[in-house]
Amino acid sequence: MNRRKFLASGALAGVGISLAPKAASAAAARTAPPIIRRSPTDTVRLGFIGTGGRGRSHVGIALQRDDVAVTALCDVDPDALSRASNMLEEAGRPRAATYGNSDYAFMDLLARDDVDAVVIATPWLWHTRMAVAAMKAGKYAGVEVSAANTLEECWDLVDTHEETGVPVMILENVCYRRDIMAVMNMVRQGLFGELIHMECGYQHDLRGVKFNGGEGKPGVEFGEKAFSEAKWRTRHSVYRNGDVYPTHGLGPVSMMLDINRGNRFVSLTSTASKARGLHKYVVDQAGEDHPNASVEFRLGDVITTVIRTQSGESIIVSHDTNLPRPYSLGFRVQGTEGLWMDVNRSIYLEGKSPAHQWEEAQPYLDQYDHPLWRRYEAEATGAGHGGMDFFVLHAFVESVKAGTQTPLDAYDAAAWSSITPLSEMSIARGSEPQDVPDFTRGLWMKRAQEFALDDSY
Amino acid sequence: MNRRKFLASGALAGVGISLAPKAASAAAARTAPPIIRRSPTDTVRLGFIGTGGRGRSHVGIALQRDDVAVTALCDVDPDALSRASNMLEEAGRPRAATYGNSDYAFMDLLARDDVDAVVIATPWLWHTRMAVAAMKAGKYAGVEVSAANTLEECWDLVDTHEETGVPVMILENVCYRRDIMAVMNMVRQGLFGELIHMECGYQHDLRGVKFNGGEGKPGVEFGEKAFSEAKWRTRHSVYRNGDVYPTHGLGPVSMMLDINRGNRFVSLTSTASKARGLHKYVVDQAGEDHPNASVEFRLGDVITTVIRTQSGESIIVSHDTNLPRPYSLGFRVQGTEGLWMDVNRSIYLEGKSPAHQWEEAQPYLDQYDHPLWRRYEAEATGAGHGGMDFFVLHAFVESVKAGTQTPLDAYDAAAWSSITPLSEMSIARGSEPQDVPDFTRGLWMKRAQEFALDDSY
């Protein structure tokens, strides 16, 4: 079933976003997918909430597009805001309205009539509140990863989406990584047989991100004395012990496993190693007498989460950001007829590969290159993170233009992001299993897979 | 502290094995390591219980040694027994006494005066009973992996060892794999810093081992109609759902983490994927109508166990034997200053490797080649499993000759083997954490690491 056919059958046609009274639309959401269609448009008027490094990367990609008008920008950091404004000027685009005089300046941006959709790239604690406010204001919400910090926030995303009928898309770019899409293509064509076991994670030495000495300066500061992500991200390593960044791995894996579309996460256990890496980094760089040497970093250096799904697959999710190591998302996709692993760039397919021997994966990745990548390779070249940033914004913009649901939706944002608080709870309880809520309230049984079925978006 | 110094200080010197009354020696065992020293000897008189494929591999290695006399052989399969006898004849060795007229014929072997030690390579359900009987008969027991099937059997090994003072060695050959020993050498020299996280497992497509059509014939039979391991091993895939073969991974990892020697396993969770591989194999080979197509194989295709240790390390142990895949024990050794992985043959060491980039591991493995391998490379060449089988038997024989404790002991056999029943229990309870018993009854706090400290054994 292609996307258009599905939308015709599964979603109600309508003009304008449904903003029916809360009770009525919430009740409707219990029996059918929420109303998400609105009038198609040729140009998306995009606002940006958060114009730091990540936000400006999105701005840059948006400015490459003829079908996007950047109408509003918001950041509480005047420098970040003016850098984004300058990008518009340099691109010969009209000046955008700017906001930033308070933490809630984004509400003024959301009140504008000339904003169809917003891209939210702010510190994690703001993601859900801003996405919820955007949906309530009738603006498509594209929100950076992770989308939520607590289980309540996960429900906020889902409930607000169902009450307003407005889509929220988690901007999980790794769903669009070229090798991932090729492997998903192979999964869908049955090359791995029935899927059995998956591995993924975020294994990235972030010590130089979590600490610096101000812009462009090395150091061991975080919080107010530091620059960029070290200003806010590091606190999550001080106060939390769990997988605080699960979606780069889980997003792609979920799409291959049809999570929320015939399958769902059932439960997980999570285990933390001791926490040594961040303290050692501070001491090695600045000595035992530096004030940050006395900070207790609660985040275990390696967090291992194991998820069980309704269809019986197991998933290992790793989080490993405090130790020296090469970057790896550690993907493994394993079924009854073979497996792919990214760490050794290898594949084994029964009946195709020499018995019991790895083959180089690249020829398969080339052969099964996803139609989206074949079509948009030129446009993606030069976009962030090896091109995948092009695709995630492309999907968001095209969804807004078509007035339809986004390919990654509120249920995905909730299910993927929920792994963080559930991981924390499991670790706090000695690795006890935690049930993963069914954020679809049973709709997973009837939702069809719609993600990247063709070369449109 | 070298081995000899430790033994002099930590073990009581004595002549002959202590066979003091049970109550007295058991009480002694609660306050000090059990008495294990007996008079040194130049030649070990070795008996073999189980002379199938694995047992005969040990016989072959024993026959290469001048310091071993093979005095007795036991197998309930007359063909396996005569093949082993023929090996002695072909090696120009004296004929050995043979036993095999009943399941308990091994008791007659154990009653002989001319047997100092036995190598037990029988189906899993016999390992503990035979090792216990051997210790009770005053014979050093070398037992193949895993050593035990249930928690009670784990305690049987420990209690019998403590009561009799006779050593039992789990013959975990992977502890002696060349790359593993080099990495352990690096661990001990601090190259990885403080250890944080380990991964290991048994990932081996055993479908052709679990099924055949009789000797040398393909097929989908197991049990009485089948040959060799398919006769008995496959039943563990029918009746059990847990990591039934954990020690190839856990043995080496335990030695690097000093388990039972300053550290111990604290608890674990275990998660099973669905079971598809074995049924599919039967159907693909022999069709839906074959009687074995209706067998329900309970063993999940991929079992993931996560262990926490007293020192705060986490360990992922994988068991993956029902699906098509290349062989891999999946080792990862990760500390505060770097990590090694075997699947991509790579290493990363902070300050040595180019920043954020993998290096080929081999030059490091060569540089840190373990003294045992440097000394015995010639002897090991040609022995089974890439030479490591030489070392495991070497260690056993040298321990018997010296009349000392074996380097892998009863506590190791118990702790490593206990992961199987604990994994089954966790899976049966929805991945609930299970405490790992402290088989040393607290002695882990004072036991020193003695494994492979030099080039002796």
Side-chain angles (χ1 to χ4, degrees):
Chain A
M1 185 187 270
N2 68 30
R3 168 176 294 119
R4 266 161 271 290
K5 215 161 146 192
F6 168 79
L7 289 169
S9 69
L12 299 176
V15 178
I17 293 181
S18 162
L19 287 169
K22 176 171 166 164
S25 72
R30 300 299 174 274
T31 54
I35 296 161
I36 48 106
R37 178 176 286 280
R38 67 174 178 181
S39 305
T41 176
D42 290 333
T43 303
V44 172
R45 296 167 300 175
L46 211 51
F48 287 84
I49 303 177
T51 59
R54 185 64 185 147
R56 292 201 303 277
S57 168
H58 285 304
V59 170
I61 295 167
L63 292 176
Q64 301 287 320
R65 300 184 66 104
D66 295 337
D67 55 0
V68 171
V70 178
T71 51
L73 302 168
C74 176
D75 203 295
V76 291
D77 175 357
D79 178 60
L81 198 54
S82 73
R83 290 192 204 197
S85 288
N86 292 343
M87 290 174 73
L88 270 60
E89 194 176 333
E90 283 163 24
R93 297 282 192 132
R95 185 184 301 269
T98 56
Y99 299 88
N101 63 346
S102 85
D103 279 351
Y104 284 85
F106 70 91
M107 295 298 286
D108 297 328
L109 182 152
L110 291 173
R112 294 181 67 93
D113 287 336
D114 64 351
V115 171
D116 302 310
V118 290
V119 169
I120 299 164
T122 51
W124 298 340
L125 297 184
W126 288 97
H127 283 183
T128 302
R129 342 189 160 222
M130 288 168 168
V132 163
M135 286 187 277
K136 286 182 173 170
K139 321 294 191 194
Y140 272 67
V143 61
E144 263 300 338
V145 299
S146 263
N149 300 278
T150 68
L151 282 185
E152 292 73 14
E153 283 195 326
C154 295
W155 281 115
D156 289 346
L157 291 170
V158 165
D159 290 345
T160 307
H161 167 62
E162 294 192 347
E163 287 160 16
T164 61
V166 180
V168 54
M169 177 168 167
I170 180 168
L171 299 175
E172 183 39 74
N173 57 358
V174 184
C175 289
Y176 296 92
R177 208 173 81 175
R178 192 167 199 162
D179 58 344
I180 289 291
M181 295 201 88
V183 169
M184 183 180 70
N185 204 7
M186 294 174 68
V187 166
R188 290 174 173 182
Q189 295 190 38
L191 272 83
F192 297 100
E194 181 179 353
L195 292 184
I196 298 291
H197 176 73
M198 313 287 268
E199 298 182 7
C200 62
Y202 190 66
Q203 304 177 130
H204 189 185
D205 177 359
L206 290 181
R207 295 173 304 162
V209 170
K210 294 185 184 184
F211 299 104
N212 57 53
E215 184 168 6
K217 284 184 281 188
V220 299
E221 302 297 341
F222 66 94
E224 287 312 312
K225 292 186 184 173
F227 176 69
S228 191
E229 290 177 73
K231 260 196 183 338
W232 56 269
R233 186 174 185 157
T234 315
R235 281 208 191 87
H236 294 265
S237 302
V238 177
Y239 291 102
R240 307 175 79 180
N241 191 10
D243 185 336
V244 296
Y245 204 58
T247 71
H248 284 328
L250 267 183
V253 160
S254 295
M255 284 309 177
M256 294 187 210
L257 291 176
D258 296 330
I259 296 296
N260 295 332
R261 296 153 181 87
N263 197 3
R264 70 181 197 89
F265 301 143
V266 171
S267 76
L268 62 78
T269 63
S270 202
T271 302
S273 79
K274 57 189 155 191
R276 292 288 185 274
L278 299 184
H279 172 76
K280 182 175 191 296
Y281 186 79
V282 170
V283 171
D284 287 352
Q285 306 290 315
E288 285 282 3
D289 294 334
H290 190 280
N292 287 343
S294 63
V295 172
E296 187 201 336
F297 297 96
R298 287 191 180 79
L299 180 69
D301 292 337
V302 178
I303 309 284
T304 303
T305 303
V306 185
I307 306 177
R308 289 189 303 120
T309 71
Q310 185 78 34
S311 300
E313 299 94 356
S314 51
I315 311 168
I316 301 177
V317 192
S318 299
H319 183 269
D320 171 0
T321 62
N322 300 344
L323 300 173
R325 59 159 301 134
Y327 177 90
S328 168
L329 298 189
F331 283 107
R332 167 163 155 187
V333 173
Q334 182 169 18
T336 53
E337 299 184 12
L339 78 166
W340 167 71
M341 291 182 75
D342 71 348
V343 73
N344 60 345
R345 304 165 186 270
S346 294
I347 197 167
Y348 180 79
L349 294 175
E350 184 161 43
K352 294 187 179 62
S353 308
H356 297 280
Q357 283 176 45
W358 290 112
E359 278 189 284
E360 201 192 325
Q362 196 57 51
Y364 289 94
L365 301 178
D366 293 342
Q367 184 182 348
Y368 291 93
D369 198 23
H370 192 278
L372 261 172
W373 269 94
R374 290 188 199 258
R375 177 170 170 184
Y376 288 108
E377 180 173 11
E379 288 85 343
T381 302
H385 293 106
M388 59 194 181
D389 286 352
F390 164 81
F391 288 99
V392 73
L393 195 72
H394 175 71
F396 184 60
V397 167
E398 293 295 336
S399 301
V400 180
K401 282 163 65 182
T404 60
Q405 180 56 282
T406 52
L408 318 177
D409 64 15
Y411 306 109
D412 300 320
W416 306 350
S417 303
S418 75
I419 302 309
T420 294
L422 293 167
S423 160
E424 290 181 274
M425 288 186 248
S426 179
I427 289 168
R429 290 159 176 75
S431 301
E432 272 194 9
Q434 306 294 314
D435 293 334
V436 183
D438 173 10
F439 294 102
T440 73
R441 294 181 170 95
L443 289 181
W444 63 272
M445 292 183 274
K446 55 187 266 194
R447 283 162 50 94
Q449 181 58 275
E450 278 292 295
F451 176 70
L453 296 182
D454 55 31
D455 69 354
S456 53
Y457 60 85
Chain B
M1 187 185 269
N2 67 31
R3 167 177 292 117
R4 267 161 272 287
K5 215 161 146 195
F6 167 78
L7 289 168
S9 68
L12 298 177
V15 178
I17 293 179
S18 162
L19 288 168
K22 176 172 168 165
S25 72
R30 300 299 173 275
T31 56
I35 295 159
I36 48 103
R37 179 176 286 279
R38 67 174 179 183
S39 305
T41 176
D42 290 335
T43 302
V44 171
R45 296 167 300 176
L46 211 50
F48 287 84
I49 302 177
T51 60
R54 186 62 186 147
R56 292 201 302 279
S57 168
H58 285 305
V59 170
I61 294 167
L63 291 176
Q64 301 288 322
R65 301 184 65 104
D66 295 337
D67 56 359
V68 170
V70 178
T71 51
L73 302 167
C74 176
D75 204 295
V76 293
D77 175 358
D79 177 60
L81 197 54
S82 74
R83 291 193 202 194
S85 288
N86 292 343
M87 291 173 72
L88 270 61
E89 195 177 331
E90 283 163 22
R93 296 282 192 131
R95 186 183 300 270
T98 57
Y99 298 88
N101 63 346
S102 85
D103 279 351
Y104 284 86
F106 71 89
M107 295 298 287
D108 297 329
L109 182 153
L110 291 173
R112 293 182 68 94
D113 287 336
D114 64 351
V115 171
D116 301 310
V118 291
V119 170
I120 298 164
T122 50
W124 297 341
L125 297 185
W126 288 96
H127 283 183
T128 301
R129 335 183 169 228
M130 288 168 168
V132 163
M135 286 187 276
K136 287 184 172 169
K139 321 295 191 193
Y140 272 66
V143 61
E144 264 299 338
V145 301
S146 260
N149 300 277
T150 67
L151 282 185
E152 293 75 12
E153 283 195 327
C154 295
W155 280 114
D156 289 346
L157 291 170
V158 166
D159 290 345
T160 306
H161 167 61
E162 294 191 347
E163 287 160 15
T164 61
V166 181
V168 55
M169 176 168 168
I170 181 169
L171 299 175
E172 183 39 73
N173 56 358
V174 184
C175 288
Y176 297 92
R177 208 172 82 175
R178 192 167 199 161
D179 58 343
I180 289 290
M181 294 201 88
V183 169
M184 183 180 71
N185 203 9
M186 295 174 68
V187 166
R188 290 174 174 182
Q189 295 190 39
L191 273 83
F192 297 101
E194 180 179 354
L195 292 184
I196 298 292
H197 176 72
M198 312 287 268
E199 298 182 8
C200 63
Y202 189 66
Q203 304 178 130
H204 188 185
D205 177 1
L206 290 181
R207 295 172 304 161
V209 169
K210 294 185 185 184
F211 299 105
N212 58 51
E215 184 168 5
K217 284 184 282 190
V220 298
E221 302 297 340
F222 66 93
E224 286 312 312
K225 291 185 185 173
F227 175 70
S228 190
E229 288 177 74
K231 260 197 184 340
W232 56 267
R233 185 173 186 158
T234 316
R235 279 206 192 87
H236 294 263
S237 303
V238 176
Y239 291 103
R240 307 175 78 179
N241 191 11
D243 185 336
V244 296
Y245 204 59
T247 72
H248 284 328
L250 268 183
V253 160
S254 295
M255 284 309 176
M256 295 186 209
L257 292 176
D258 296 330
I259 297 296
N260 295 332
R261 297 156 180 85
N263 196 3
R264 70 179 198 90
F265 301 143
V266 171
S267 75
L268 63 78
T269 63
S270 201
T271 303
S273 78
K274 56 190 157 189
R276 292 288 186 274
L278 299 183
H279 172 76
K280 181 175 191 294
Y281 186 78
V282 170
V283 171
D284 287 352
Q285 306 289 316
E288 283 283 4
D289 294 334
H290 190 282
N292 287 344
S294 63
V295 172
E296 187 200 337
F297 297 95
R298 286 190 181 79
L299 180 69
D301 291 337
V302 178
I303 309 285
T304 304
T305 303
V306 185
I307 305 177
R308 288 188 303 121
T309 71
Q310 185 78 34
S311 300
E313 300 94 356
S314 51
I315 311 168
I316 302 178
V317 192
S318 298
H319 183 270
D320 171 0
T321 63
N322 300 343
L323 300 173
R325 61 159 299 133
Y327 178 90
S328 168
L329 298 190
F331 283 107
R332 169 163 154 186
V333 173
Q334 182 168 17
T336 53
E337 298 184 12
L339 77 166
W340 167 71
M341 292 182 73
D342 71 348
V343 72
N344 60 345
R345 303 164 185 274
S346 294
I347 197 166
Y348 180 80
L349 294 175
E350 183 160 45
K352 294 186 178 65
S353 308
H356 296 282
Q357 284 176 45
W358 291 111
E359 276 189 285
E360 202 192 325
Q362 196 57 51
Y364 289 94
L365 301 178
D366 293 341
Q367 184 182 348
Y368 291 92
D369 198 22
H370 192 277
L372 260 172
W373 268 93
R374 291 187 199 258
R375 175 169 171 186
Y376 287 108
E377 179 173 12
E379 288 86 343
T381 302
H385 294 106
M388 58 193 181
D389 286 352
F390 163 81
F391 288 99
V392 73
L393 195 72
H394 175 71
F396 183 59
V397 167
E398 293 295 336
S399 302
V400 180
K401 282 163 63 182
T404 60
Q405 181 56 283
T406 52
L408 318 176
D409 64 15
Y411 307 109
D412 300 319
W416 307 350
S417 303
S418 75
I419 303 309
T420 295
L422 293 167
S423 159
E424 289 181 273
M425 288 185 250
S426 178
I427 289 168
R429 290 159 176 75
S431 301
E432 272 194 7
Q434 305 295 312
D435 292 335
V436 183
D438 172 11
F439 294 103
T440 73
R441 293 180 171 95
L443 289 180
W444 64 271
M445 290 182 277
K446 54 187 266 194
R447 284 162 51 93
Q449 181 58 275
E450 277 294 294
F451 177 69
L453 296 182
D454 55 30
D455 69 355
S456 53
Y457 60 85

